[in-house]
Amino acid sequence: MNITIVGPGAIGSLWAIKLLQAGHNVSLWSRSTDNSIELSLDGQASLSFSNNNIEKLSASDLVIFTVKAWQVEEATTPLLQHLYPDTILMFMHNGMGAVDQIATQIDTHPVVLATTTQAAFKPNRNNVSHTGIGQTQLGAFNLKGQQCTFLVDVLEHALPVVSWNPEIKTALWTKLAINCAINPLTGLEQIKNGELADQRFSEVLNSIIKELTQVMMAEGITCSFDELETSVKQVIQATAKNNSSMKQDVFYQRKTEINFITGHLIKTALKHQIEVPVNQKLFAQVKERENSWNHQD
Ligand code: KPL
């Protein structure tokens, strides 16, 4: 397939390399003005990708957006004029709600949502490490997206395990719950994920998960406190040595994904008139931290 990866950060670069190695024509689209980018995975020989090539973009059968949730709109809108209506758009990022904001603009395309627990780290612009083996779930965002189940084979061949989830909303909410529990605390405290297993965090984690369970149940997601707690604890353990994305964003004083993680939970809670004071407090603290950098600029 002809595939363009928009936003070759750690996860985007990992997929670019794996899809190229699986035999696809892969090009990149990024903020860099260079017309080619070299990428090396785990110290292997570098691979060369063309970057920001409009002809390759237009010829794409599949465009995978691996930008952050808050970049989805600005990354997608300018590219639409170069794409055929049947080009498949796939979005893979933390958080929820970003694709809904551009739903009408992209509705002529088959649109697929993806969530992954693959972990990658990009220490600099040319090197990527695959830091954790995980799973990727795909599901339809719109009616045309429902025709795209074959993408499971395409992605599975490149970087297993990949599955199609007809209830992608459940998978996205479960990942959102994990991010609501881990990201704000590790970002604010500047600690590794594993430190959340410490007794001093058990009360706050308990409250976060309780609020999440209420909101998710109101959204029609089948879940329970015990299930969510188990998932959160499993991820804390499995990624104990990792720096969460929000820990890194706060450290480098970059805009965080809080609006699309805890922010999405709060918005949904409001819709159902459910109070989520603990998540609201964490949201306010992360926003305060972000605003403190803006004031310095
Ligand atoms: O998705 C993550 C993130 O850091 O954003 C988790 C699952 C918390 C792993 O670090």
Side-chain angles (χ1 to χ4, degrees), residues 94 175 178-179 182-183 193 235 239 244-245:
N94 273 342
K175 179 75 198 301
I178 291 164
N179 287 129
I182 298 179
N183 293 30
N193 294 357
V235 175
T239 63
S244 78
S245 52

Side-chain angles (χ1 to χ4, degrees), residues 4-13 28-31 51 64-68 71 75 122:
T4 298
I5 308 275
V6 180
I11 285 291
S13 299
L28 306 179
W29 194 275
S30 75
R31 279 182 303 205
N51 182 48
I64 306 180
F65 293 86
T66 49
V67 295
K68 301 254 187 192
Q71 294 169 319
K122 199 175 176 195

Side-chain angles (χ1 to χ4, degrees), residues 8 14 34 75 77 127-128 175:
L14 175 67
D34 296 340
T77 319
N127 290 285
V128 197
K175 179 75 198 301

